[in-house]
Amino acid sequence: ENGRYYRAVKHFIIAANQGQDESIKNVMEYFKEGFVSKDDLAAALRAHQAAVDATKSPQREAAENYRRALGVENSPAMVRAALAISNTH
C-alpha cells in the first residue's frame, strides 16, 4: 500500500520541479503525512521556485496584464496573442 504513496510522491516531485503549483502543494501534504523527507521537501521547494522564476519576464507580465484588462480567460492562444500585441507597443 505504501508503495503507491511513494510512487505518487515521486511523480508530484517531478511535476513540482517543473513549476506546477498543485504538485508542490501535494508534496507538502505528503510531507505532513510522513511520506516525504524534510530534505526532499526542501529540494522540491527550491526546484519549484527556480522553475517559476525561470518563466518570469517583462513580456509575460505585460501579456498577463493585458489579458486581465481585456477580461479574457487564460489560454495558450490568448497568451501568445497578448504577447504579440505587447511586443509591438
Side-chain angles (χ1 to χ4, degrees), residues 8-81:
V9 166
K10 187 171 151 182
H11 287 280
F12 283 128
I13 288 174
I14 291 167
N17 289 347
Q18 296 175 352
Q20 297 292 321
D21 293 333
E22 283 301 313
S23 293
I24 197 67
K25 290 176 187 175
N26 287 323
V27 171
M28 288 191 285
E29 283 300 314
Y30 279 119
F31 169 74
K32 291 176 189 175
E33 295 173 17
F35 292 104
V36 176
S37 71
K38 189 175 184 179
D39 290 339
D40 288 342
L41 175 62
L45 286 168
R46 283 191 302 272
H48 177 267
Q49 189 60 51
V52 169
D53 290 344
T55 63
K56 291 183 180 178
S57 72
Q59 291 86 4
R60 284 181 185 257
E61 290 177 19
E64 178 65 17
N65 291 337
Y66 184 74
R67 182 193 63 79
R68 284 187 182 152
L70 292 176
V72 177
E73 288 190 31
N74 196 8
S75 72
M78 291 309 298
V79 170
R80 283 191 299 275

